[in-house]
Amino acid sequence: MSGTGSSDEASATDTDRPPTPKRRFIFAGFGRSSDGQRGFLAEVGIIVLGVLVALSGEQAVQALRWSHLVAQQREVLSDELRGVLTEASVRLLQRPCFERRLRELRVVLERNRQGAPLDLRGKLGAPTYTQASTGAWATALNSETLDHMPLAERQEWGGAFEGGGELAEVYKAESEVWVELSRIDHVALLESEDWAALRTAFARAHALNDRAVFLSDWALENNSRGLSPHPITLQQIVSLKETTRAFCEPLLAKSSVDTSPM
């Protein structure tokens, strides 16, 4: 009897005890009602959309900025490349003067070797070079604008200015060798070793002439990027310097050598 009573008492106690509440976890919106979840997801969507819009807007601004900078860079590079092409054009316009002078110098050197009168009728003179700048290309290489150009375009610009740099080196060497050859203007002061140096300089001038003509033609035909040199004529070139005018006039009497332009 006592055991049964204890059991009934325990049952009554368990029945009267309030139920233990179930634990609920609310994390990042989970555990909310359906309406609450929809509202939360809508808020998240709005935030994500706002971030995407902000990022796309920033990218659009950056793209517009770089497009403007690249356009400016193209304009500067085009102006500079036109200078390189004009330099090549100036050199080619003087080609008849170079080739006639080389023929005349060959005759002078041969007469000296034979001990014959030189029969000089003029001054050697000097060719004209425009000395085009490539500073804009050097600046572009140190900037980020080239990174925002198509690869093919960057390669074309690089090839054009690399060719322009080679041209400048050849023109510099050619200018220096014609300074050496100008000693012939003081023929009365020349010793035998001076004539030997003149023969060496003549050989260099001949080789440099061939190289300069080839590179100048190549620049105008293949590295122009569709640009044209600034318009100029041989008459305008020779009018700039008296030495260039002399360079394009006969050094010897016409009867002693064929001085007609090739």
Side-chain angles (χ1 to χ4, degrees):
M1 293 295 288
S2 60
T4 303
S6 298
S7 176
D8 292 340
E9 194 176 304
S11 298
T13 302
D14 291 340
T15 303
D16 295 339
R17 184 182 300 166
T20 302
K22 297 181 179 180
R23 294 183 180 181
R24 299 180 65 193
F25 296 91
I26 301 177
F27 178 74
F30 294 104
R32 296 184 180 182
S33 65
S34 297
D35 291 341
Q37 290 180 358
R38 283 195 294 269
F40 172 76
L41 293 176
E43 292 175 4
V44 171
I46 291 172
I47 294 172
V48 171
L49 181 60
V51 171
L52 292 176
V53 169
L55 290 175
S56 62
E58 182 180 356
Q59 290 176 346
V61 170
Q62 288 296 322
L64 184 62
R65 173 177 174 270
W66 280 114
S67 177
H68 178 67
L69 291 175
V70 168
Q72 287 183 321
Q73 186 70 81
R74 287 193 184 104
E75 184 177 351
V76 172
L77 292 177
S78 295
D79 288 342
E80 188 163 275
L81 183 56
R82 286 195 75 190
V84 173
L85 298 174
T86 301
E87 185 177 31
S89 177
V90 166
R91 175 57 181 82
L92 288 178
L93 286 170
Q94 296 174 91
R95 181 179 181 180
C97 307
F98 276 89
E99 296 181 348
R100 177 172 61 189
R101 201 50 110 228
L102 289 171
R103 290 196 305 274
E104 291 174 325
L105 284 173
R106 183 182 295 276
V107 171
V108 170
L109 293 172
E110 181 62 22
R111 287 177 179 174
N112 170 260
R113 189 182 66 82
Q114 295 174 352
L118 300 182
D119 196 23
L120 298 178
R121 300 297 176 90
K123 295 292 186 180
L124 184 74
T128 287
Y129 300 94
T130 60
Q131 298 179 342
S133 170
T134 55
W137 174 245
T139 301
L141 288 174
N142 295 320
S143 70
E144 297 181 30
T145 52
L146 295 182
D147 296 335
H148 294 267
M149 286 185 183
L151 177 59
E153 182 181 1
R154 295 203 305 269
Q155 291 175 333
E156 288 178 4
W157 283 117
F161 282 105
E162 183 179 354
E166 189 175 1
L167 269 178
E169 291 178 3
V170 171
Y171 293 160
K172 182 177 183 293
E174 193 173 49
S175 176
E176 290 171 351
V177 80
W178 282 99
V179 170
E180 293 180 38
L181 289 168
S182 67
R183 285 188 285 181
I184 205 169
D185 288 338
H186 310 282
V187 65
L189 303 177
L190 299 181
E191 303 289 346
S192 58
E193 59 270 20
D194 296 318
W195 284 102
L198 284 172
R199 290 183 175 86
T200 301
F202 169 78
R204 288 179 56 211
H206 205 289
L208 285 169
N209 175 67
D210 292 341
R211 186 66 176 160
V213 169
F214 172 78
L215 290 176
S216 299
D217 274 330
W218 181 266
L220 291 169
E221 293 294 329
N222 300 284
N223 282 338
S224 67
R225 298 205 76 251
L227 301 171
S228 299
H230 296 290
I232 192 169
T233 65
L234 181 58
Q235 289 71 27
Q236 290 173 319
I237 295 170
V238 299
S239 68
L240 296 175
K241 293 182 180 179
E242 183 179 348
T243 54
T244 305
R245 183 165 60 253
F247 185 72
C248 290
E249 293 177 349
L251 179 65
L252 302 174
K254 291 185 178 180
S255 58
S256 60
V257 63
D258 176 17
T259 58
S260 60
M262 295 182 66

